[in-house]
Amino acid sequence: MATPILMENPLRQGLFADRVPAPCSLVIYGASGDLTHRKLVPALFDLYEKHLLPASFSLIGISRSKISDEEFKQGLKVALKESEPQLSDSLWNSFSQNFHYMAGGYDDFKTYQALSQMLDQVDQENGTSGNRIFYLSTPPNVFENIISNLGAAGLAKEEKGFARIVIEKPFGHDLESAQELNQKVKEVFKERQIYRIDHYLGKETVQNLLVMRFANSIFEPIWDRRYVDHIQITASEDMGVGSRAGYYESSGILRDMFQNHLFQVMSLVAMEPPVAFEANAIRDEKLKILKSIRPFNENTVYQWAVRGQYGPGYLSGEKVPGYREAEGVNPKSNTPTYAALKIFLDTWRWHGVPFLLRSGKRLPKRTTEVAIQFKQPPNLLFKTNVSDLSPNVMVIRIQPDEGITLKFETKVPGMSMEVRTVNMDFRYGTSFAEGTSEAYERLLLDCMLGDATLFIRGDEVEAAWAALMPVLNHWETTEPERHFPNYEAGTWGPAEADNLLEKPWRKWRRL
Ligand code: BG6
């Protein structure tokens, strides 16, 4: 095996000194997969370049493909060159010198015994001190198998160093399977060893929600039912399902985007101030929000939940096929590729304030944002109808063009009292020299540091599933109200979504 990486780390003395993790080995299950190539290794490379990987670090990739160490590394290098075209051989060689590969079945106990030996050897040769992270980036149907085998091989024990497990989404297919998976993983690992990923929490702007709310004193006093009319959370994508039809057919938009990403963002927007900036304090508050979601019932599911599926249409002038035409999709599929939900949180702070959540594939553009719309002024002073005044809106752009915009009314210069909406803008791109980091970079680093703040706790996952189950059950046992497909690719989803708005001053934001 290669010699240990003992690089000089200029940051160790400086600002980020406390952000350099202890030596460790990262074991990735599903190492020949897309996520490893497109996200995990590029994120590790970015950390390496910023001197934020531990001085001694090893990566062991495991999957079923029978390939050599060299072939494994070559595959990673080719993928990394997509995002790092300038990558030199010498830089790659030093980054990857402690990368290894093991082929093996996920249900074959011998693989785990061999892994255990390999990890001991790596510890000795590379000084990784018995610290291990097991990253499950496989299809979810093998999660339980891997977890119990890791347990049986004694790899969850923390005798020499730490043992952590990172579990990719989807965490369960419904409430019952999520509970089962939680139980299985907790039989082997303690909750503090478990890191359930939601990559949205690693996004810079999602983290900024906490800073914006709790490092300023001007927003919090108006952050409630007295001043807020409603909140819109949108995650729109122009992409279709691509090559993921197999997964998507059994998942659909609610499982894919709402149970995790949108509910997490909503929790951060709505939660009470935590007592400390610490993993459990923050997760306690998010959990309260998820538990406060007013349960959907037979009637409200019709009124507050809208589903859609895209048909053929045009995006950027190009004709694109409908969902049912995608390879691997049942031509009669009723899988929703769009959903809009009206959610009420039964809390003192948010009583009566609708949270309007929407997400869809093949919408006109890729945008994720939170928009807080404030109430109209109570009294009319100017010769304008109150309804002609645009409401004050605070838009937190999660991606792209990350930043915050505050929309407010102002006087148009001149002799009359004409009122017009203007924007006050903060953009990450122009305010900071540093670029925003990729979500996985932050999350991998936090896991190595043992900071679970940006990971989801088991009870949060279950609360999110519990809130969504009535809608999922209803949609899976009834025909869509209007036959699918009910929106054209390249449009903003089915017209029925407008019914969720109810009041004339509420409109879906045009993005
Ligand atoms: C993933 C979903 O979790 O998030 C995908 O499975 C979706 O369907 C993706 O495209 C969106 O992530 P991002 O970071 O591109 O907004």
Side-chain angles (χ1 to χ4, degrees):
M1 272 179 210
T3 46
I5 307 174
L6 281 174
M7 48 188 190
E8 245 322 283
N9 192 335
L11 293 178
R12 197 157 291 160
Q13 313 296 327
L15 193 57
F16 301 118
D18 61 339
R19 298 295 290 165
V20 181
C24 70
S25 297
L26 172 65
V27 179
I28 303 181
Y29 282 90
S32 58
D34 194 48
L35 187 80
T36 310
H37 288 78
R38 268 191 326 108
K39 297 285 182 191
L40 302 183
V41 170
L44 290 169
F45 182 74
D46 286 341
L47 290 174
Y48 177 74
E49 282 213 299
K50 291 177 187 162
H51 302 282
L52 286 170
L53 269 193
S56 297
F57 173 78
S58 303
L59 183 149
I60 300 174
I62 304 186
S63 74
R64 281 176 288 219
S65 318
K66 293 205 168 27
I67 50 171
S68 65
D69 268 21
E70 268 326 299
E71 285 166 320
F72 172 60
K73 288 206 227 177
Q74 188 55 27
L76 298 181
K77 183 178 172 188
V78 170
L80 184 58
K81 279 209 159 191
E82 299 265 310
S83 53
E84 303 284 339
Q86 311 296 339
L87 179 72
S88 68
D89 284 348
S90 61
L91 189 56
W92 166 257
N93 290 340
S94 71
F95 168 57
S96 66
Q97 62 176 310
N98 286 311
F99 285 15
H100 312 282
Y101 182 75
M102 255 181 82
Y106 300 130
D107 53 356
D108 181 358
F109 187 60
K110 282 197 250 90
T111 319
Y112 298 82
Q113 290 171 312
L115 173 67
S116 179
Q117 282 171 8
M118 189 182 220
L119 282 166
D120 287 342
Q121 195 183 342
V122 165
D123 281 345
Q124 273 184 8
E125 294 178 5
N126 192 20
T128 36
S129 311
N131 291 326
R132 283 114 195 230
I133 297 174
F134 302 97
Y135 196 118
L136 309 196
S137 166
T138 59
N141 58 344
V142 293
F143 284 173
E144 292 191 8
N145 222 323
I146 298 176
I147 291 163
S148 49
N149 275 304
L150 284 172
L155 287 166
K157 293 203 193 106
E158 297 193 297
E159 281 159 358
K160 286 183 266 172
F162 62 70
R164 298 181 185 140
I165 185 159
V166 182
I167 305 180
E168 261 297 333
K169 62 168 285 224
F171 197 96
H173 182 73
D174 52 22
L175 177 58
E176 207 182 321
S177 54
Q179 285 169 329
E180 267 170 36
L181 181 55
N182 262 336
Q183 197 187 335
K184 198 72 188 180
V185 67
K186 283 183 196 169
E187 280 167 15
V188 178
F189 292 90
K190 301 196 175 67
E191 181 63 45
R192 64 170 172 73
Q193 295 175 279
I194 308 169
Y195 291 72
R196 297 173 194 79
I197 281 230
D198 182 325
H199 78 279
Y200 265 56
L201 294 182
K203 291 184 191 277
E204 199 75 62
T205 30
V206 173
Q207 295 166 54
N208 192 39
L209 280 169
L210 290 174
V211 176
M212 198 204 77
R213 288 192 57 197
F214 304 128
N216 296 297
S217 59
I218 55 173
F219 303 124
E220 216 38 36
I222 53 169
W223 211 256
D224 66 19
R225 66 178 192 289
R226 289 169 305 167
Y227 296 95
V228 175
D229 178 77
H230 75 277
I231 293 181
Q232 289 185 26
I233 303 179
T234 303
S236 68
E237 293 186 273
D238 51 358
M239 303 287 287
V241 282
S243 55
R244 297 165 74 222
Y247 151 75
Y248 205 84
E249 271 288 86
S250 64
S251 158
I253 192 81
L254 287 182
R255 291 189 173 87
D256 193 46
M257 293 295 291
F258 282 70
Q259 187 273 338
N260 36 56
H261 311 324
L262 291 193
F263 276 15
Q264 282 296 317
V265 172
M266 178 177 74
S267 310
L268 291 171
V269 171
M271 73 185 205
E272 293 301 315
V275 290
F277 192 72
E278 180 269 323
N280 275 332
I282 291 175
R283 299 190 294 182
D284 286 346
E285 297 305 333
K286 284 196 289 158
L287 177 66
K288 285 185 207 160
I289 291 298
L290 293 167
K291 285 191 161 175
S292 77
I293 295 176
R294 188 176 303 165
F296 284 87
N297 62 35
E298 287 268 304
N299 293 327
T300 56
V301 126
Y302 280 112
Q303 292 162 17
W304 298 346
V306 172
R307 55 181 147 170
Q309 186 195 76
Y310 64 87
Y314 287 86
L315 261 153
S316 316
E318 285 203 11
K319 189 157 177 42
V320 293
Y323 176 71
R324 287 177 176 180
E325 279 93 69
E327 204 184 318
V329 171
N330 175 351
K332 293 188 176 149
S333 171
N334 273 338
T335 301
T337 59
Y338 172 97
L341 299 185
K342 176 150 69 180
I343 289 179
F344 288 100
L345 302 178
D346 285 329
T347 66
W348 190 273
R349 185 192 281 259
W350 294 116
H351 186 82
V353 178
F355 281 69
L356 298 165
L357 275 48
R358 64 177 162 159
S359 179
K361 299 261 184 219
R362 285 284 191 229
L363 302 183
K365 63 198 273 207
R366 175 171 179 260
T367 304
T368 305
E369 63 155 53
V370 177
I372 325 278
Q373 182 166 322
F374 293 92
K375 291 187 170 160
Q376 295 290 59
N379 188 23
L380 181 64
L381 280 184
F382 310 103
K383 285 190 189 140
T384 313
N385 291 325
V386 171
S387 58
D388 291 341
L389 292 178
S390 297
N392 296 146
V393 183
M394 182 175 205
V395 182
I396 301 158
R397 290 186 304 279
I398 291 175
Q399 63 190 21
D401 186 23
E402 292 85 346
I404 299 175
T405 297
L406 185 62
K407 288 179 174 296
F408 57 95
E409 300 299 83
T410 192
K411 180 186 171 307
V412 178
M415 298 304 139
S416 66
M417 259 303 166
E418 203 188 325
V419 174
R420 198 177 295 164
T421 310
V422 293
N423 289 345
M424 206 152 75
D425 243 342
F426 148 65
R427 284 163 199 267
Y428 271 84
T430 45
S431 297
F432 295 109
E434 306 87 344
T436 52
S437 314
E438 277 289 316
Y440 276 98
E441 196 183 326
R442 172 65 194 247
L443 296 175
L444 281 167
L445 180 64
D446 279 4
C447 178
M448 288 187 235
L449 289 164
D451 181 352
T453 309
L454 301 177
F455 293 82
I456 309 178
R457 212 168 51 191
D459 46 8
E460 283 181 83
V461 176
E462 291 182 18
W465 278 119
L468 217 46
M469 285 322 294
V471 188
L472 281 168
N473 287 338
H474 181 81
W475 284 2
E476 281 164 11
T477 50
T478 56
E479 287 286 314
E481 297 65 40
R482 185 151 66 88
H483 287 307
F484 279 179
N486 61 354
Y487 71 99
E488 271 176 39
T491 66
W492 281 106
E496 290 82 353
D498 289 351
N499 301 341
L500 302 184
L501 303 166
E502 271 179 341
K503 311 278 188 207
W505 59 86
R506 290 184 189 149
K507 295 198 169 47
W508 286 113
R509 279 176 42 75
R510 277 196 277 153
L511 304 171

